[in-house]
Structure formats: C-alpha cells, structure tokens
Amino acid sequence: MARIPSAVVAASGLVGGYGVARWTRKRQLGGAVLAVAGATAAQQWRRQAGDRAAVALTVGYAAAFAGSHPLAKKVGAWPAVFGVAGAVALASWAIADRRG
C-alpha cells in the first residue's frame, strides 16, 4: 500500500473537517475528522522528523485551525480554509515529507 504524505493528511484534515461540519451541520463530526487527521499526521511527523518537529507541526496544525476563523471574516470561509491548509501542507512537506 502506498504511503500518503503527511502534508496531504494534514491538509485533508483541515479541508475535510470544515467540509463535514458545514455539510452535515454537525460541528462535532467535523471536529472528529479534524482530530483523526491531525493525530494521524502527528504520528507520521514523529516517525519522519522526530519529536520536536512533530510537536511544532502539531501546534501549527492547531494554530491554522484557530487562525482560519478570524481569517474567514476577511476573505471568506473556503478561501481561509484552503489558505491555512496550504500553509500546513507546505510546512509539513518542508519539515517531514521531503526527507523521505
């Protein structure tokens, strides 16, 4: 089975979490998607880049989620989500995925 890059897992968690919350109107369900993808990405980050990098990327993932809310008031919900997802994916690739 091919390995899915952690950048894809993390970005998918942010986009998918928002999408699920919006389309189902169940914020908890979107939060579950966000959390599962974040935990999966964190495990990959730890394996690929070590504990310190995993902690930093996990904090970045959570900050991106939190930061998307005020950003959405300025640029709209989907552009904000795609923007922070792209930033997290780029950081994940630069710190963890390109090593592999």
Side-chain angles (χ1 to χ4, degrees):
M1 185 169 171
R3 184 182 71 82
I4 299 171
S6 62
V8 173
V9 173
S12 296
L14 290 162
V15 173
Y18 175 69
V20 166
R22 182 173 178 136
W23 290 316
T24 65
R25 296 186 179 160
K26 305 244 186 268
R27 292 177 60 162
Q28 300 85 352
L29 194 54
V33 170
L34 180 80
V36 168
T40 301
Q43 288 177 335
Q44 286 182 265
W45 294 329
R46 178 168 283 125
R47 254 192 334 270
Q48 292 172 267
D51 290 339
R52 289 177 62 190
V55 168
L57 287 166
T58 302
V59 168
Y61 182 80
F65 167 69
S68 69
H69 291 83
L71 182 60
K73 291 179 181 181
K74 297 186 183 298
V75 300
W78 280 112
V81 170
F82 284 127
V84 299
V88 167
L90 181 60
S92 179
W93 175 81
I95 295 170
D97 290 337
R98 75 175 175 167
R99 296 175 182 220

